[in-house]
Amino acid sequence: MAAGIGAHDALTGAWAPAVTDARTARRARLAGTAGALAAAMLIAGIAAGDDRAWAGWLIASFGVLTVGLAGLTFMAIQYVTGAQWAVALRRIPEAMTAAIPVGGIAVLALVLIRPGPYPWTHELHGHGGSLAFKAVWLSWPFLLARGIASVAVWTAFARALVSNSRRQDADGDAAYTRRNIRLSVATLIVLALSLSLASFDWIMSLEPEWYSTIFGVYQFAGLFSSGLALIVLLAVWLRRGPLAGVVSDEHLHDLGKLLFAFCTFWMYIWFSQYMLIWYANLPEETSYFAVRTRGIWEPLFLLNMLLNWAIPFAVLLGRSPKRRPEILSKAALVVLAGRCLDLYLMVAPPIAARTPSAPPLGTWELVSLVSLAGATAWIIWRSLSGAPLVPTRDPGLARSLHYHS
């Protein structure tokens, strides 16, 4: 162990700093300020009736929300599977869950205040029972109620898991771990159902005449691969400072394996969705890809696959790159860039189709990216600075500190 920390020190809580150094605080405040200013610009654009500003707000808020859901998913999976290797890293996904209420409220505000750019607020097209069902399912009060319920449940699960973890720091009672295992089982079941519905409601309904039965799984794949990428970046950053001697090459290796696996899973789901629609060649299904494989969208469509799968797959294929922080962090940055592009390709084309003279990439898209990055950085820093970075009394911490993959 480096930096003078042993298992005894960690377990007794003698070594458990939070992220409170002045330099990091200044950077976090700068990121938060930039995110707030960008959000204010988007609000002004929305108030002026600009649909591209509306799309930018949806991308940024949904992106922040999925950062939180990725942290919740990672934490729940670790509890359910009994994977003690990640105990030393747990404060990172816990910090990410703080983004759930912020992103969720931002999405709901868009639906509540200005749902106009959603086509279903005007008219729906379909056939027979399909049209009748869509009219009921996409009715504004029902959709808003589902959204409120989903965000409330996600926030409740996240706060319960984090609260139990931090209470355990005080007395080391293993009952908190057992309680979180039971909560995590319920979390994963509820999240699987509610995330699919939220994806349909907030993203897929931008093109209500199109549908995909695996769109929810596709959202999960992108959410979790990008969440793993963010965990990698935070782990690499923190091990240069307060988590030196805690986050080892073994931890990075396992994070790298997970990132490699879920980038490939994303590609598998992407191909499954595309191939089945291409093969069936039904007009109500092919419309989604027909728009995204023409004109300026085509190179972005291809770049999406490169960033989300091809590049990280090639970089992380061997064992050595997964254990080298400088390489692993670069691969993670590529995946995060791919996630932003993926969200953009889900939201922007149907909005841009209404204003064909507007460029598909410009000021509003840059402002959206700044808002997403700034809000995420600020939220995570606030959470990391509010609690010890190591769950000092967790029964699995000693095994995690001496873990070998």
Side-chain angles (χ1 to χ4, degrees), residues 87-126:
V87 170
L89 303 168
R90 185 188 299 147
R91 291 296 188 247
I92 295 174
E94 285 181 5
M96 291 165 61
T97 63
I100 293 175
V102 177
I105 291 171
V107 174
L108 292 174
L110 198 68
V111 176
L112 176 65
I113 297 170
R114 189 168 179 256
Y118 282 110
W120 45 263
T121 61
H122 312 296
E123 59 179 344
L124 287 171
H125 302 282

Side-chain angles (χ1 to χ4, degrees), residues 13 20 25 43 100 122 152 187 189 196 235 246 251 255 270 286 291 309 313 339-340 361 368 370 372 374-375 382:
T20 55
I43 291 172
I100 293 175
H122 312 296
T187 297
I189 294 172
S196 293
V246 176
H251 294 115
L255 287 173
W270 184 98
T286 57
V291 172
W309 175 70
F313 179 86
R339 175 60 174 169
C340 292
L361 289 170
S368 173
V370 172
L372 169 57
R382 284 292 302 272

Side-chain angles (χ1 to χ4, degrees), residues 54-73:
W54 186 95
W57 182 274
L58 179 59
I59 292 169
S61 57
F62 190 74
V64 170
L65 172 62
T66 56
V67 164
L69 293 179
L72 177 60
T73 303

Side-chain angles (χ1 to χ4, degrees), residues 50-211:
D50 193 310
D51 283 352
R52 285 177 58 202
W54 186 95
W57 182 274
L58 179 59
I59 292 169
S61 57
F62 190 74
V64 170
L65 172 62
T66 56
V67 164
L69 293 179
L72 177 60
T73 303
F74 183 88
M75 188 166 49
I77 289 174
Q78 300 305 313
Y79 274 116
V80 170
T81 60
Q84 294 182 335
W85 69 271
V87 170
L89 303 168
R90 185 188 299 147
R91 291 296 188 247
I92 295 174
E94 285 181 5
M96 291 165 61
T97 63
I100 293 175
V102 177
I105 291 171
V107 174
L108 292 174
L110 198 68
V111 176
L112 176 65
I113 297 170
R114 189 168 179 256
Y118 282 110
W120 45 263
T121 61
H122 312 296
E123 59 179 344
L124 287 171
H125 302 282
H127 303 281
S130 172
L131 177 60
F133 175 77
K134 288 180 181 179
V136 174
W137 185 260
L138 294 176
S139 63
W140 181 82
F142 189 24
L143 186 142
L144 184 62
R146 289 196 305 274
I148 292 172
S150 294
V151 173
V153 169
W154 297 334
T155 302
F157 275 124
R159 289 189 173 178
L161 288 170
V162 173
S163 176
N164 286 332
S165 174
R166 294 184 178 180
R167 287 177 184 173
Q168 194 173 52
D169 287 348
D171 57 21
D173 191 346
Y176 290 115
T177 298
R178 294 191 294 270
R179 193 176 302 166
N180 273 358
I181 291 172
R182 293 191 295 270
L183 274 172
S184 294
V185 172
T187 297
L188 292 175
I189 294 172
V190 171
L191 187 60
L193 297 173
S194 56
L195 176 61
S196 293
L197 297 181
S199 300
F200 298 157
D201 290 348
W202 298 333
I203 305 296
M204 196 167 72
S205 70
L206 287 166
E207 298 165 281
E209 296 170 31
W210 175 78
Y211 60 89

Side-chain angles (χ1 to χ4, degrees), residues 363-374:
T363 302
W364 289 123
E365 288 71 30
L366 177 61
V367 169
S368 173
L369 183 61
V370 172
S371 178
L372 169 57

